[in-house]
């Protein structure tokens, strides 16, 4: 009996050891805003909603640490993808973000910081075209403000926002922020979790 149990245990252990690992999720890096070297060996993607208070925490507390330790040193890059789940103006803020990105990638990250620093209550509708355009102007983003407002109102980049939301659904992403490191979805988004995932990704390079 004991030999049978040992044999079964050995088979189970072998299956665990030799079973193929899940392939990384294919990420559309080239279609997303990037902070840092786009050819960095470690690529981080945040799926976020500009109305999400926890996303605000990520942008204000976690992203600066990532920038200092990994992005500015060329080890990692940070990409942003929209996941609009909190209301109609989540979509409006996403449209504005895409419009800024298409004018100037670097300006996008100033927009990203500015929106989160000026984030309103998630239960109210505050991310209007007027607010977002005025915010870009106050922050002196190096873009065409009239074009920005026109692109928001015409929903010029709605198909891109829809595509990013579809990506989230296809990959069972339902909460913001959700973070991927080299295509691997993380269970958490705190700095220690990210640091561990980045170091693990570096070992695989």
């Amino acid at each position: 009996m004991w030999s049978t149990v040992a044999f079964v245990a050995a088979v189970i252990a072998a299956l665990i050891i030799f079973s193929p690992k899940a392939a990384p999720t294919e990420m559309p890096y080239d279609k997303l805003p990037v902070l840092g070297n786009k050819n960095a060996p470690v690529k981080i993607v945040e799926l976020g909603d500009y109305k999400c208070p926890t996303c605000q925490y990520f942008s204000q507390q976690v992203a600066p640490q990532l920038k200092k330790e990994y992005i500015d040193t060329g080890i990692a890059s940070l990409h942003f993808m929209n996941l609009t789940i909190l209301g109609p103006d989540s979509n409006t803020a996403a449209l504005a973000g895409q419009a800024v990105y298409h004018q100037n990638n670097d300006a996008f990250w100033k927009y990203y910081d500015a929106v989160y620093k000026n984030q309103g209550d998630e239960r109210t509708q505050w991310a209007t075209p007027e607010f977002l355009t005025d915010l870009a102007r106050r922050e002196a983003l190096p873009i065409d403000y009239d074009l920005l407002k026109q692109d928001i109102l015409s929903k010029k980049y709605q198909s891109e926002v829809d595509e990013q939301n579809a990506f989230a659904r296809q990959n069972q992403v339902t909460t913001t922020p959700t973070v991927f490191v080299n295509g691997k979805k993380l269970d958490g988004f705190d700095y220690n979790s990210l640091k561990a995932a980045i170091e693990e990704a570096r070992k695989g390079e």
Side-chain angles (χ1 to χ4, degrees), residues 48-56 59-60 80 82 84-97 111-136 138 152:
D49 185 320
Y50 294 110
K51 292 191 68 174
C52 165
T54 316
C55 296
Q56 181 190 53
S59 76
Q60 302 298 300
F80 182 82
N82 294 289
T84 55
I85 58 177
L86 291 177
D89 53 336
S90 295
N91 187 74
T92 305
L95 290 171
Y111 169 84
Y112 171 93
D113 286 335
V115 172
Y116 283 122
K117 286 176 181 175
N118 292 273
Q119 187 184 71
D121 191 298
E122 66 179 306
R123 295 163 295 185
T124 64
Q125 188 168 342
W126 55 268
T128 64
E130 292 74 19
F131 172 84
L132 296 167
T133 304
D134 288 345
L135 179 63
R138 290 201 309 272
I152 298 170

Side-chain angles (χ1 to χ4, degrees), residues 144-157:
D144 183 323
Y145 308 120
D146 291 335
L147 178 59
L148 169 61
K149 189 169 185 179
Q150 177 183 324
D151 287 348
I152 298 170
L153 292 171
S154 69
K155 299 188 176 183
K156 182 173 181 178
Y157 298 106

Side-chain angles (χ1 to χ4, degrees), residues 72-116:
D72 289 347
T73 56
I75 295 169
S77 57
L78 175 63
H79 303 252
F80 182 82
M81 184 182 294
N82 294 289
L83 175 52
T84 55
I85 58 177
L86 291 177
D89 53 336
S90 295
N91 187 74
T92 305
L95 290 171
Q98 292 303 108
V100 173
Y101 161 59
H102 281 285
Q103 288 198 48
N104 186 321
N105 176 79
D106 292 340
F108 169 83
W109 294 100
K110 295 179 180 179
Y111 169 84
Y112 171 93
D113 286 335
V115 172
Y116 283 122

Side-chain angles (χ1 to χ4, degrees), residues 180-201:
F180 286 76
V181 174
N182 280 6
K184 180 181 178 181
K185 184 167 67 172
L186 305 190
D187 292 329
F189 58 84
D190 60 283
Y191 187 67
N192 288 335
S193 296
L194 271 166
K195 185 179 177 71
I198 292 168
E199 294 300 334
E200 184 64 28

